[in-house]
Amino acid sequence: MKKVLTIAGSDSTGGAGIEADLKTFQEYGAFGFASLASIVTMDPTRGWQHEVTSISAELLEKQLISALAGKAMDAVKTGMMGNEENIKVAARFINERDIKHVVIDPVIACKGTANILQPKSVAAIIEDLLPLAEITTPNLVEAGILSGMGDLMTVDDMKAAAEKIYQLGAKNVIVKGGHRLQTHQALDVLYDGASFTVLAGEKIDTDFNHGAGCTFSAAITAGLAKGWTILESVRTAKEFVAAAIKQGVSINPYVGHVWHGAYNEAERRMNHE
Ligand code: PXL
């Protein structure tokens, strides 16, 4: 059984964050662990305003000690870290322990809120986490911030940003075009330091994409844990997320959630009505 850890935030609505990660790990047949770095709550009476509450670095450390006891962790991913101190703690543990695969999801902005992390956290992601990454998975906005390029409008912009992020120390970079890129297909750019691979997928016309980013990087993490290559892991993750978006579920009136069980056609195993 592969052991896979997420160090991330809790999405109290169940679609993104550690909830997405654990559901995805389970679908991949891996044994999921979560070390909470933050908790995100949303206020229905204030226009679905997001609030991030950080977990203390001390408590994050205790969770990591618990999760990392025993047989080596096959893969780890990071998500919303809450603050700079938590980034440093996570980086230290990833550095010190024998973890075979490291995926850094540089969660800086998320839908529904403009500025979820402080600029300080961006610097810490660049300094402490990107150099540890076997792969990092920024969306268009995050890639613009990490590369210092600002708004990315074209595939060429995405390639240039991927190159700059690679130079920050990540061994592979996948910039997700997602729904923001003005193209007919959903395009992602993968860069491994030597060549670019543009991955094209169907652009799905839906608002049910809450959790898509976390699910994508969690799926890559579980794929790498299974021993798949970067390209195999990324391709399967793309299919996994496309299925999750297509079979999105209505959980609340504020955002449309992806359904993490879609790829394995969970409704055939157990009805979720
Ligand atoms: O989608 C980015 C994201 C990541 N992590 C947590 C979140 C969100 C968005 O809501 O809540 C915990």
Side-chain angles (χ1 to χ4, degrees), residues 3 5 63-71 73 93 97 99:
K3 294 170 69 173
L5 168 67
Q63 295 174 77
L64 288 167
I65 289 169
S66 313
L68 292 167
K71 182 167 97 62
M73 197 60 75
F93 273 82
R97 304 298 181 108
I99 301 175

Side-chain angles (χ1 to χ4, degrees), residues 9-11 16-17 40 42 50 80 107 109-110 210 214:
S10 166
D11 166 12
V40 181
M42 292 81 169
H50 291 45
M80 188 182 288
V107 176
C110 80
H210 177 66
C214 302

